[in-house]
Amino acid sequence: MGKIIGIDLGTTNSVVAAMVGGEPTVISSAEGGRTVPSVVGFGKGGERLVGQLAKRQAVTNPKNTVFSIKRFMGRRFDDAESVKTKGLVPYVVEKDSGSDGVFEVKSSNGDTHLGGDDFDQRIIDWLLAEFKKDQGID
């Protein structure tokens, strides 16, 4: 039998596991974490960064840091959800100029607009509303 690998691509974090000796085993990241931020970045010199390194550079290089990509998976470039999401990210989302590649989502389940980013935003919105209510300023 071939090797079995499972990937949970999350909106905010991802995890990879493989069958080792008949048991599922999570593969740790280079930093030792069991989950990896679902972030890819491109450094100033074209260097590719993945996970925690990419997430760190998002503060100073947001236009070259891709995150929340799961929100676009399985959607057409111009559908209403894609258009809405494109307005929420700092990076440029472009239509494939080549239509010869076929990308097929084999399995997807759940709300692709529900993840850690959404929880963070809800907390921020609540804090801002409470501050405005308490202090009377925006």
Side-chain angles (χ1 to χ4, degrees):
M1 180 194 303
K3 295 189 179 193
I4 299 172
I5 297 175
I7 302 171
D8 178 2
L9 176 61
T11 306
T12 310
N13 291 291
S14 297
V15 66
V16 176
M19 293 298 284
V20 177
E23 294 289 323
T25 305
V26 171
I27 300 171
S28 297
S29 70
E31 295 85 20
R34 293 175 57 83
T35 61
V36 176
S38 302
V39 182
V40 175
F42 302 93
K44 306 240 186 251
E47 174 187 20
R48 286 186 216 146
L49 307 169
V50 178
Q52 197 61 46
L53 291 174
K55 187 174 180 179
R56 281 189 209 120
Q57 80 125 22
V59 175
T60 58
N61 191 7
K63 290 187 179 198
N64 291 313
T65 307
V66 180
F67 58 91
S68 295
I69 196 68
K70 184 177 173 183
R71 298 170 191 265
F72 296 106
M73 291 175 71
R75 297 191 180 279
R76 298 203 176 277
F77 181 77
D78 55 359
D79 92 0
E81 286 298 319
S82 293
V83 171
K84 176 184 169 187
T85 303
K86 283 184 267 187
L88 300 175
V89 296
Y91 51 86
V92 176
V93 179
E94 296 180 347
K95 188 172 185 172
D96 179 24
S97 60
S99 276
D100 57 342
V102 175
F103 297 90
E104 181 179 355
V105 176
K106 293 284 189 185
S107 176
S108 181
N109 189 13
D111 184 350
T112 60
H113 281 272
L114 181 61
D117 295 341
D118 302 289
F119 290 114
D120 291 349
Q121 190 59 53
R122 290 273 175 109
I123 292 169
I124 290 167
D125 292 344
W126 177 81
L127 285 170
L128 290 173
E130 289 297 308
F131 180 82
K132 186 176 181 179
K133 185 170 51 174
D134 185 50
Q135 301 298 317
I137 57 173
D138 189 352

